[in-house]
Amino acid sequence: MDLITVKDIYKDRDKYMDREVTLGGWVRSVRDSKTFGFIVLHDGSFFETMQIVYSDSMDNFTQISKLNVGAAILVTGTLVATPQAKQPFEIQAREILVEGESAPDYPLQKKRHSLEYLRTISHLRPRTNTFQAVFRVRSLIAYAIHKFFQERGFVYVHTPLITGSDCEGAGEMFRVTTLDLENLPRTEDGKVDYTRDFFNKETSLTVSGQLNGETYAQAFRSIYTFGPTFRAENSNTTRHAAEFWMIEPEMAFADLEDNMALAEAMLKYVIRYVMEEAPEEMKFFNSFVDKGLLERLQGVVNADFAHVTYTEAIEILEKVNDKFEYKVSWGCDLQTEHERYLTEQVYKRPVFVTDYPKEIKAFYMKLNEDGRTVAAMDCLVPGIGEIIGGSQREDSYDRLTARMEELGLKPEDYEFYLDLRKYGSTRHSGFGLGFERCVMYLTGMGNIRDVIPFPRTVNNCEL
Amino acid sequence: MDLITVKDIYKDRDKYMDREVTLGGWVRSVRDSKTFGFIVLHDGSFFETMQIVYSDSMDNFTQISKLNVGAAILVTGTLVATPQAKQPFEIQAREILVEGESAPDYPLQKKRHSLEYLRTISHLRPRTNTFQAVFRVRSLIAYAIHKFFQERGFVYVHTPLITGSDCEGAGEMFRVTTLDLENLPRTEDGKVDYTRDFFNKETSLTVSGQLNGETYAQAFRSIYTFGPTFRAENSNTTRHAAEFWMIEPEMAFADLEDNMALAEAMLKYVIRYVMEEAPEEMKFFNSFVDKGLLERLQGVVNADFAHVTYTEAIEILEKVNDKFEYKVSWGCDLQTEHERYLTEQVYKRPVFVTDYPKEIKAFYMKLNEDGRTVAAMDCLVPGIGEIIGGSQREDSYDRLTARMEELGLKPEDYEFYLDLRKYGSTRHSGFGLGFERCVMYLTGMGNIRDVIPFPRTVNNCEL
């Protein structure tokens, strides 16, 4: 179909002015008087709507005037400037064809609906202003992330979703199986016989692509993953989803400084991209979802991120321990309240906290010379706390196996991973960015269920 | 670390010529004579290697000369042109630091290894020429697809992986569960009690994002998905994987013609992008993997794709039925041999076959006026057969429910999907592109296991 979009018109109005165009879209509202009427049309291509003026010179004037919200129409008419009106232009319709009517019980009416209600109709909520803005911005953020890494020569690696490794924290993993649960095959000693399962063993959904990603960084130097990850955590909060997307870059020949420089550049790039590509949506969030959003994001783009070691951060926080529900002391993990205090009150800009005690970080992080901290970094941002977590990886075969044994991990379960330290090991680093957390941060949306098209959470797997 | 990459040098040699640079990379080979030696260095940034010349003026001359294949080194030296030599330039090293040695049992030696062997070391195979080429091109194809859709205003939608719907063909789906299989909770009548499962019901891994994608097309007009899909099919072939990625665009206000135009433009765009961005890799495939690849791809870019209806295609094929293992007649599904005959022998270019009998296509495809065919299209390309399958979707509530009932599907299981036909239905279309099939097509690789970083197939879920 040879249609013009609302976006085409907003982006290049001179090209279409005073000409006849045909648009397809959905009715947001209809008002009519005896001889003419107005339609607010949204066509999904752009945040703003288009005003359509129609008159009783049309045969189907009455049909049009009775259209319900949500009806799909095809409008042919002339684009004219309306310098006196609120909107910059309108279309004076010559013909309006009804593509699909909207039944009287259409669940979205002109009034404002609550986010809670809209969650119950996840197939229709993208038609509302809020979710038009959220999911267009989500798409733009995803693309900006690809663009950022591709422009820097990073190779995009699809790490696997189904994993046979239970090394990643089995307690919180979803099992994947084709066994008939009503009729499980058993081994001689009565256990479930996983050799009869699809993969001939127990398999689960991955919680991170990092270990696989590292193998590709040792071949391509700089890689990133961007794919779904899963957590079977029984947490019914505004920040946890069972299925979410992660970005995990990994760089060979890169230390913790390089890692932080990459994270800072990436965040700034993505924020700039979205502010340029979706100014209407960002203005909407700033007005209706999170006042102060644009100022905060602009602050991130303009600031040099601060740096502080965990040990220094603890000294700072201990002095104001009376402000906190959880009191800090060296060795404890930082809670959101501490993170936000550091970034919002102390530094008033994003801050990297580095060199955490090894006990509160993962086994693969590089041991510092002090023997008690590791080359980890968390990036904290105002309004949210931790948004990125990363580290330089332990590149010494001996130190890595020693640490595994300390923690009761079996080196033979990680043979492929240890091989990377045996054959051309390099200092290397990477981090993880939870994609939904990033979308929440850039839109100001407060509930992870509202930034995922069809969210999966405890007891909830609709559509 | 302040390193230059091999790619930097190849892309902007003048900037670095006769200057000192530092590279980090992995040793592909070392040759030494008494007083000097040559290293072939690969740094993962670029398909080509860099020759390093070093001499016994270095303290660690002996250490360097003994390095095994795969060792990681840091080289500082001067880039000089070598007009007489095979390679355009080399680095005359002033200093070489060993970043990580490579143990003597390194599984990749200079000789050529078989693809079968390399599959057993999926964490190391990306260090070989073939897999450097495959996985860089895979990354570029993925990005080209995003770029194509984003430039056209399509919204990228992350459709869910875990699904509660068993409408998609339950037999071939993986179950997802957190129930303890050794100790399954039971209902009073002895069945497995899925209300105790994580999502409070039975859940599986998705086989397609299309139905969810359609809901977003009816809001954003043009959307695409690009994510993993799963098939628990017991097919141990060179073309089936249990986990693979799919691209599924969906457009409102678009008929079958628009759909084919989009598919043709996308394929051409992606081929052009990869030929421009990875000429070294494509040349490699053309020489060592699939002679004729470049000519074939160039042919696709330059051709206007042909169009033929299924009914016409059957007439053509019936005349040469003696050539085929499976004889064709109206109503049968086309096999690869028929598809390849059409595109390679009859049209000698890509061809869209349209309007298939409704019995061999999915329930959601739009019924044509003849009452016996649907507005489906498959895109067939030389060398492979079907690469894309799509359709215009049934947009009539009544016809869609009628078709569901004919097929024994329960309309109440598809309520959200039927809502799209109830509230502002539009003619709309979309297609599916199997990403791995696309990678195989563009690289000439013959086994799907060799275009997925860590493939998952029957009885195989390693690393």
Side-chain angles (χ1 to χ4, degrees):
Chain A
M1 302 182 78
D2 214 13
L3 302 180
I4 302 301
T5 65
V6 174
K7 183 176 182 181
D8 291 336
I9 293 173
Y10 270 88
K11 295 293 173 191
D12 197 1
R13 60 187 71 186
D14 292 347
K15 181 173 170 189
Y16 301 101
M17 197 55 70
D18 301 318
R19 301 192 174 216
E20 186 163 287
V21 295
T22 301
L23 292 180
W26 293 273
V27 170
R28 284 271 175 94
S29 68
V30 188
R31 284 182 290 139
D32 72 302
S33 66
K34 272 182 194 152
T35 56
F36 63 96
F38 299 96
I39 295 170
V40 176
L41 187 79
H42 192 268
D43 82 345
S45 71
F46 196 62
F47 190 71
E48 305 291 342
T49 55
M50 180 63 72
Q51 172 154 287
I52 313 291
V53 189
Y54 67 101
S55 79
D56 61 0
S57 63
M58 290 178 187
D59 292 344
N60 60 351
F61 179 78
T62 316
Q63 180 198 19
I64 301 300
S65 295
K66 285 186 179 158
L67 283 176
N68 191 15
V69 177
I73 56 175
L74 290 164
V75 179
T76 301
T78 307
L79 181 71
V80 296
T82 51
Q84 314 298 330
K86 209 172 58 176
Q87 71 284 355
F89 33 62
E90 65 186 21
I91 288 173
Q92 294 177 346
R94 177 172 63 75
E95 183 187 73
I96 297 180
L97 300 174
V98 178
E99 176 83 355
E101 299 206 330
S102 176
D105 61 345
Y106 188 50
L108 294 171
Q109 291 304 320
K110 247 203 99 180
K111 65 165 190 154
R112 196 169 174 151
H113 298 285
S114 73
L115 296 176
E116 290 73 19
Y117 169 69
L118 292 170
R119 269 174 227 143
T120 66
I121 45 170
S122 54
H123 59 309
L124 299 176
R125 67 176 180 169
R127 302 177 182 199
T128 64
N129 266 334
T130 302
F131 290 100
Q132 278 281 312
V134 167
F135 291 113
R136 191 182 314 281
V137 166
R138 182 178 166 115
S139 168
L140 291 170
I141 296 173
Y143 185 57
I145 288 167
H146 281 297
K147 201 162 182 305
F148 174 82
F149 285 114
Q150 294 272 341
E151 284 172 0
R152 281 154 190 77
F154 283 61
V155 170
Y156 179 27
V157 181
H158 290 115
T159 48
L161 285 289
I162 301 176
T163 173
S165 145
D166 57 356
C167 313
E168 301 174 3
E172 298 175 352
M173 292 172 89
F174 289 101
R175 178 178 305 283
V176 173
T177 181
T178 54
L179 295 178
D180 176 2
L181 266 53
E182 296 293 358
N183 192 11
L184 285 169
R186 301 277 174 184
T187 58
E188 281 187 6
D189 58 353
K191 299 270 184 196
V192 175
D193 184 2
Y194 289 106
T195 66
R196 308 273 291 278
D197 209 344
F198 189 88
F199 294 110
N200 196 27
K201 62 172 167 183
E202 296 189 51
T203 52
S204 312
L205 289 175
T206 188
V207 299
S208 161
Q210 182 199 316
L211 305 196
N212 294 85
E214 281 186 53
T215 70
Y216 270 60
Q218 293 297 103
F220 285 102
R221 179 193 190 93
S222 296
I223 66 97
Y224 68 108
T225 73
F226 189 164
T229 42
F230 304 87
R231 215 58 55 90
E233 238 175 289
N234 198 345
S235 314
N236 211 346
T237 78
T238 57
R239 302 183 143 227
H240 289 84
E243 175 181 318
F244 56 97
W245 288 61
M246 284 259 284
I247 296 100
E248 298 183 287
E250 192 74 33
M251 297 176 287
F253 297 106
D255 58 23
L256 196 65
E257 293 297 322
D258 298 315
N259 204 17
M260 291 188 282
L262 183 77
E264 179 169 343
M266 182 196 71
L267 279 182
K268 289 177 173 176
Y269 184 98
V270 172
I271 293 170
R272 259 192 229 107
Y273 186 83
V274 171
M275 296 213 288
E276 270 164 32
E277 296 293 320
E280 294 81 9
E281 285 82 354
M282 295 307 287
K283 210 180 123 201
F284 171 84
F285 292 128
N286 195 56
S287 301
F288 296 107
V289 175
D290 180 4
K291 290 186 209 305
L293 176 71
L294 285 178
E295 195 190 329
R296 198 162 66 236
L297 294 178
Q298 198 60 60
V300 173
V301 170
N302 295 335
D304 285 327
F305 290 16
H307 293 254
V308 62
T309 66
Y310 169 88
T311 303
E312 291 160 352
I314 292 295
E315 282 168 19
I316 292 167
L317 294 169
E318 274 182 325
K319 290 184 189 144
V320 288
N321 247 339
D322 55 324
K323 289 182 192 291
F324 302 129
E325 190 183 344
Y326 295 92
K327 310 302 169 192
V328 301
S329 61
W330 202 96
C332 77
D333 213 349
L334 297 183
Q335 304 294 321
T336 303
E337 57 175 337
H338 312 131
E339 293 173 344
R340 292 190 59 172
Y341 182 83
L342 285 170
T343 179
E344 291 167 16
Q345 305 298 322
V346 181
Y347 294 99
K348 298 181 172 43
R349 57 189 163 127
V351 55
F352 288 107
V353 181
T354 59
D355 305 298
Y356 285 76
K358 65 178 179 181
E359 285 76 15
I360 59 173
K361 288 291 182 184
F363 75 92
Y364 50 70
M365 295 190 179
K366 188 175 176 65
L367 191 64
N368 285 327
E369 287 187 4
D370 62 17
R372 60 181 205 151
T373 63
V374 288
M377 65 92 167
D378 282 0
C379 180
L380 317 180
V381 291
I384 199 161
E386 187 205 326
I387 190 164
I388 284 173
S391 71
Q392 189 168 340
R393 318 308 188 185
E394 183 56 77
D395 50 63
S396 152
Y397 186 93
D398 293 339
R399 277 196 303 269
L400 186 57
T401 45
R403 183 66 181 144
M404 283 177 171
E405 280 160 5
E406 262 175 45
L407 293 170
L409 301 170
K410 291 185 201 149
E412 58 268 31
D413 287 343
Y414 296 84
E415 211 175 321
F416 80 97
Y417 192 65
L418 288 166
D419 275 359
L420 305 181
R421 280 73 182 168
K422 207 170 149 188
Y423 307 120
S425 187
T426 67
R427 73 196 83 178
H428 65 290
S429 298
F431 62 79
L433 168 70
F435 181 61
E436 279 75 13
R437 189 165 283 196
C438 181
V439 178
M440 291 169 77
Y441 183 55
L442 264 73
T443 59
M445 296 297 287
N447 193 317
I448 198 167
R449 290 165 185 77
D450 297 330
V451 301
I452 300 179
F454 301 91
R456 272 72 179 102
T457 53
V458 186
N459 293 332
N460 177 44
C461 183
E462 295 309 313
L463 307 199
Chain B
M1 300 181 79
D2 213 12
L3 303 179
I4 302 301
T5 65
V6 174
K7 182 174 182 182
D8 292 336
I9 292 173
Y10 270 88
K11 295 293 173 193
D12 197 2
R13 60 188 70 187
D14 292 347
K15 182 173 169 189
Y16 301 102
M17 197 55 70
D18 302 316
R19 301 192 173 215
E20 186 162 288
V21 295
T22 301
L23 293 180
W26 293 273
V27 170
R28 283 272 176 95
S29 69
V30 187
R31 283 182 292 138
D32 73 301
S33 66
K34 272 184 193 146
T35 55
F36 63 96
F38 298 97
I39 295 171
V40 176
L41 186 78
H42 192 269
D43 82 344
S45 72
F46 197 61
F47 190 70
E48 305 292 342
T49 54
M50 181 63 70
Q51 171 153 287
I52 313 292
V53 189
Y54 66 102
S55 78
D56 63 357
S57 64
M58 289 178 187
D59 292 344
N60 60 350
F61 179 77
T62 317
Q63 180 198 19
I64 300 301
S65 296
K66 286 185 178 157
L67 283 176
N68 190 16
V69 177
I73 56 174
L74 290 164
V75 179
T76 300
T78 307
L79 181 73
V80 296
T82 52
Q84 314 298 329
K86 208 174 55 176
Q87 71 284 354
F89 32 61
E90 65 186 20
I91 287 173
Q92 294 177 346
R94 178 173 62 74
E95 183 186 71
I96 297 180
L97 299 174
V98 178
E99 177 82 354
E101 300 205 330
S102 175
D105 61 346
Y106 187 51
L108 294 171
Q109 291 304 319
K110 246 201 100 179
K111 65 167 188 150
R112 198 169 172 152
H113 299 284
S114 74
L115 295 176
E116 291 73 19
Y117 169 68
L118 292 171
R119 269 174 226 143
T120 66
I121 45 170
S122 54
H123 61 308
L124 299 176
R125 67 177 180 168
R127 303 176 183 200
T128 64
N129 266 333
T130 303
F131 291 100
Q132 278 281 311
V134 167
F135 291 113
R136 192 183 314 282
V137 167
R138 182 178 166 115
S139 167
L140 291 170
I141 296 172
Y143 184 58
I145 289 167
H146 280 297
K147 201 162 179 308
F148 173 82
F149 286 113
Q150 294 273 339
E151 285 172 0
R152 281 153 189 77
F154 282 62
V155 170
Y156 179 28
V157 180
H158 290 115
T159 47
L161 286 288
I162 300 175
T163 172
S165 146
D166 57 357
C167 315
E168 301 174 4
E172 297 175 353
M173 293 173 89
F174 289 101
R175 179 179 305 283
V176 173
T177 181
T178 53
L179 294 178
D180 177 1
L181 265 53
E182 296 293 357
N183 192 10
L184 285 169
R186 301 278 175 185
T187 58
E188 280 186 7
D189 57 353
K191 300 268 183 199
V192 175
D193 184 2
Y194 289 106
T195 65
R196 308 274 289 278
D197 209 343
F198 189 89
F199 294 109
N200 197 27
K201 61 172 165 182
E202 296 188 52
T203 52
S204 313
L205 289 175
T206 188
V207 299
S208 161
Q210 182 198 316
L211 305 196
N212 294 87
E214 280 186 52
T215 70
Y216 270 59
Q218 293 297 103
F220 284 103
R221 180 192 189 93
S222 297
I223 66 98
Y224 68 109
T225 72
F226 189 165
T229 42
F230 304 87
R231 215 58 56 90
E233 237 176 287
N234 199 346
S235 314
N236 211 347
T237 78
T238 57
R239 301 180 143 230
H240 289 84
E243 176 182 316
F244 55 97
W245 288 61
M246 284 261 282
I247 295 99
E248 298 183 288
E250 192 73 35
M251 297 176 288
F253 297 105
D255 58 24
L256 197 65
E257 293 298 321
D258 299 315
N259 205 16
M260 291 189 282
L262 183 77
E264 179 169 343
M266 183 196 71
L267 279 182
K268 289 177 172 176
Y269 184 98
V270 171
I271 294 171
R272 260 191 229 109
Y273 186 83
V274 170
M275 297 214 287
E276 270 164 32
E277 295 293 319
E280 295 81 10
E281 285 82 355
M282 295 308 286
K283 209 179 124 202
F284 171 84
F285 292 127
N286 195 57
S287 302
F288 297 106
V289 175
D290 180 4
K291 289 185 210 308
L293 175 72
L294 285 178
E295 196 189 329
R296 199 162 64 236
L297 294 177
Q298 198 61 59
V300 173
V301 169
N302 295 335
D304 284 328
F305 290 16
H307 293 254
V308 63
T309 66
Y310 168 89
T311 302
E312 290 160 352
I314 291 294
E315 282 168 19
I316 293 167
L317 294 168
E318 274 182 325
K319 291 184 188 146
V320 289
N321 245 339
D322 55 326
K323 289 183 192 290
F324 301 130
E325 189 182 345
Y326 294 93
K327 310 302 169 194
V328 300
S329 62
W330 202 96
C332 78
D333 213 349
L334 297 184
Q335 304 294 321
T336 304
E337 55 175 338
H338 313 131
E339 294 173 344
R340 291 188 60 171
Y341 183 82
L342 285 170
T343 177
E344 292 168 16
Q345 305 298 321
V346 181
Y347 294 99
K348 297 180 172 46
R349 57 191 162 126
V351 55
F352 287 106
V353 181
T354 61
D355 305 299
Y356 285 77
K358 66 177 179 182
E359 285 75 16
I360 59 172
K361 289 291 183 184
F363 74 93
Y364 50 71
M365 296 190 180
K366 188 174 175 67
L367 191 64
N368 285 327
E369 289 189 1
D370 62 17
R372 61 182 205 147
T373 63
V374 289
M377 65 92 167
D378 281 0
C379 180
L380 317 180
V381 290
I384 199 161
E386 186 206 325
I387 191 164
I388 283 174
S391 71
Q392 188 168 339
R393 318 308 187 183
E394 183 56 77
D395 50 64
S396 151
Y397 185 93
D398 293 338
R399 277 197 303 271
L400 186 57
T401 44
R403 183 66 183 143
M404 283 178 172
E405 278 160 6
E406 259 175 47
L407 292 170
L409 301 171
K410 293 186 200 146
E412 58 268 32
D413 287 343
Y414 296 85
E415 210 175 323
F416 80 97
Y417 192 65
L418 288 166
D419 275 358
L420 305 181
R421 280 74 181 165
K422 205 170 151 190
Y423 307 120
S425 188
T426 68
R427 74 197 82 180
H428 65 291
S429 298
F431 64 79
L433 168 70
F435 182 61
E436 279 74 14
R437 189 165 283 197
C438 182
V439 177
M440 291 169 76
Y441 183 55
L442 265 74
T443 60
M445 297 297 287
N447 193 317
I448 199 167
R449 291 166 183 78
D450 297 330
V451 301
I452 300 179
F454 301 90
R456 271 75 179 100
T457 53
V458 186
N459 292 333
N460 177 43
C461 184
E462 295 307 312
L463 307 199

